[in-house]
Amino acid sequence: MRGLVLTGPVAIGDHKIMIIGVAGRNGAGKGEFVQFLETRSYSVFSLSDAIRKELADRGLEESRELMIETGQEMRRKAGPGALAQRLARQLLPDRNYAIDSIRHPVEVEILRQHAGATGHVFHLVWVDAKLETRFDRMVKRGRSGDPATVADLERLEVRERGSDDPNAQQLDAVEAEADFRLANDDTLQGFQDQIQTWVRANLAFDRPGWDDYFMNIARVVASRSNCVKRKVAAVVTLDKRIISTGYNGTPRGTTNCNEGGCPRCNDLAPGGTRLDECLCSHAEENSITQAAYHGVSLKGGTIYTTFSPCLQCTKMIINAGLIEVIYQSDYPLGDVSLALLREAGIKTRQIGI
C-alpha cells in the first residue's frame, strides 16, 4: 500500500482544535508521525509513558515484554481505560495534541469522549507498513527487547492483536476504530509528505465570532461571582477591546454573599421578593462602576451580559452612554427594561447559549 488512504470524510472549515490519536503495529512509524507533529507545535503524549514510569519506580529496565505485562497489570487494577483516563486529566482545551501508543478500544472511547467535552475533534490515525519493512526498522533502531527475527516479531504481535483478557492489548479492535490510515512503506520524506498532506486537509477549525468570543469570556467572568443564587457576568467592549468586566456579588470590602453576606440570597428568597434586603450588586452595575472607579469611559461601548439587565442596571447602561446590549438569557421581569433600552435608542440582541 502506497500513498495516503483516507477511510473517513475530510471536511474543510468545520474542525476545531484536534486530538490526534496515533496507533499501529511495531515499527510502523507511529513515533515518526508524532515527532513530525511535535516539531510543528503539537503537544505530544504517549500512553506508554505511565507504564515506563511504573517500571522506573520499580527499578526495572524497560523491555517490550515488561511493558506489555505491566500495562496489563495496570489495566487489571484500574480498568482497561486506566492509561487514557490518567492522560486525559492532563489535556487542556486550547492545545492541539498527538497521542501515541493507543492499544485498546476503550482508550479510543475515552479520548473521543474527552475531546467532545473539551471542544476538540478527535481523529484516530492508524499507521501501517509491511512486516519485513517494520522488522528492518526495528533492527536499525536497536532498541532493547525488540524481536531478533521476523518470526519472533510475528509471535509477539499475535499477543498484541487481541485476547480474551479484556485488559490485554487489542490492536485489531483499535485498527477497526481508525478514522484514517497512513501507509509507511516508502522513504521517510515520503511519509512526512503524507503527514503534511493529511494535517493540512484536517487542520481547519472554526474561530468564534466576536459575539461568541466576548460571551464566552463573560461566562468565565461569571465563575468569579460570590452570589449563592445566580452567577451573572457582564463584559463591556469598545472597538473589539474589553474595557471593563463585572460579576454579581456583595460590595467591595464587605462579607461575600456565599459567606453569609446577603440575607436575602442566603434565605433563598423567591424571585422578585425582599429586593430591599438584597446587598448584592448586579454584574452590569459592577462593570459600569468598575470603569468609573478606574476612570474609563464607556461611551459608545457594547455590553455583553449573561442575563438581560434589570431595570436599575438598564438605567445605568443608558446613562453610561453604552449603545448596545447583547445578552444570553432573559432576566425575570425584564420586559420593561428591554422596552426602555429600545426607547433610549440602544440596540438589543439576544444570542444563543
Side-chain angles (χ1 to χ4, degrees):
M1 181 166 54
R2 292 174 61 96
L4 178 65
V5 180
L6 303 181
T7 60
V10 178
I12 301 299
D14 63 351
H15 284 171
K16 299 181 180 180
I17 297 174
M18 290 195 293
I19 297 176
I20 301 175
V22 185
R25 310 213 183 275
N26 300 306
K30 304 183 299 295
E32 292 292 348
F33 188 105
V34 169
Q35 184 179 12
F36 180 89
L37 294 178
E38 185 174 24
T39 60
R40 285 149 181 84
S41 302
Y42 274 65
S43 296
V44 168
F45 286 106
S46 171
L47 293 185
S48 296
D49 289 342
I51 304 175
R52 293 188 178 96
K53 183 178 185 304
E54 183 69 21
L55 290 176
D57 290 344
R58 298 180 185 182
L60 299 175
E61 184 177 349
E62 178 184 330
S63 72
R64 184 165 296 279
E65 289 288 338
L66 271 179
M67 290 283 288
I68 293 172
E69 292 171 7
T70 306
Q72 291 179 3
E73 178 185 338
M74 293 173 71
R75 293 186 184 99
R76 280 193 293 271
K77 287 181 178 178
L83 303 181
Q85 288 170 337
R86 182 180 301 188
L87 175 61
R89 291 193 289 267
Q90 304 177 55
L91 305 182
L92 300 174
D94 60 345
R95 311 241 180 119
N96 284 310
Y97 287 100
I99 299 175
D100 190 10
S101 298
I102 298 173
R103 298 180 178 277
H104 198 286
V106 174
E107 295 168 346
V108 178
E109 180 183 358
I110 288 170
L111 292 173
R112 283 196 197 280
Q113 291 176 349
H114 180 83
T118 58
H120 286 78
V121 170
F122 179 80
H123 294 309
L124 179 62
V125 178
W126 181 265
V127 181
D128 209 351
K130 296 175 182 176
L131 178 68
E132 293 76 12
T133 302
R134 295 190 287 108
F135 177 72
D136 287 344
R137 290 173 184 158
M138 295 172 75
V139 170
K140 290 176 182 177
R141 74 187 182 188
R143 184 180 296 172
S144 173
D146 276 347
T149 67
V150 172
D152 290 340
L153 176 57
E154 288 181 305
R155 283 192 293 271
L156 173 66
E157 291 188 343
V158 169
R159 293 179 55 190
E160 297 179 344
R161 292 182 63 175
S163 169
D164 293 334
D165 182 354
N167 299 301
Q169 295 185 23
Q170 308 280 349
L171 278 184
D172 282 356
V174 171
E175 182 179 6
E177 293 285 334
D179 303 298
F180 301 93
R181 299 174 62 92
L182 269 68
N184 182 25
D185 289 304
D186 207 336
T187 63
L188 176 59
Q189 183 61 55
F191 184 48
Q192 291 176 342
D193 289 344
Q194 286 190 72
I195 301 171
Q196 179 87 359
T197 299
W198 183 85
V199 171
R200 291 181 64 182
N202 291 276
L203 186 59
F205 60 91
D206 285 338
R207 296 175 65 194
W210 288 110
D211 285 347
D212 288 338
Y213 173 69
F214 290 127
M215 192 62 77
N216 284 336
I217 292 173
R219 295 185 190 112
V220 175
V221 174
S223 68
R224 281 286 302 166
S225 168
N226 63 62
C227 181
V228 299
K229 292 189 67 176
R230 178 187 288 129
K231 292 179 178 291
V232 185
V235 171
V236 182
T237 69
L238 184 65
D239 296 329
K240 296 184 174 60
R241 294 181 300 109
I242 295 174
I243 57 176
S244 184
T245 65
Y247 50 84
N248 61 323
T250 47
R252 179 187 287 113
T254 65
T255 304
N256 287 333
C257 180
N258 64 304
E259 296 170 339
C262 178
R264 176 180 179 270
C265 291
N266 281 272
D267 284 346
L268 299 179
T273 68
R274 298 172 58 183
L275 296 177
D276 58 327
E277 299 178 27
C278 187
L279 302 184
C280 289
S281 298
H282 287 190
E284 301 93 329
E285 177 184 359
N286 276 333
S287 67
I288 293 170
T289 57
Q290 282 296 306
Y293 184 85
H294 293 286
V296 177
S297 173
L298 303 183
K299 184 178 180 181
T302 296
I303 186 167
Y304 290 83
T305 179
T306 54
F307 280 83
S308 61
C310 71
L311 187 56
Q312 177 175 315
C313 289
T314 293
K315 291 183 285 187
M316 296 183 71
I317 288 169
I318 294 169
N319 288 335
L322 293 165
I323 62 173
E324 186 172 19
V325 175
I326 300 173
Y327 62 96
Q328 174 181 289
S329 301
D330 290 307
Y331 182 76
L333 309 174
D335 291 343
V336 173
S337 300
L338 294 175
L340 187 61
L341 288 168
R342 287 191 287 268
E343 181 184 347
I346 294 177
K347 298 176 184 176
T348 61
R349 286 192 291 124
Q350 184 176 18
I351 62 176
I353 299 174

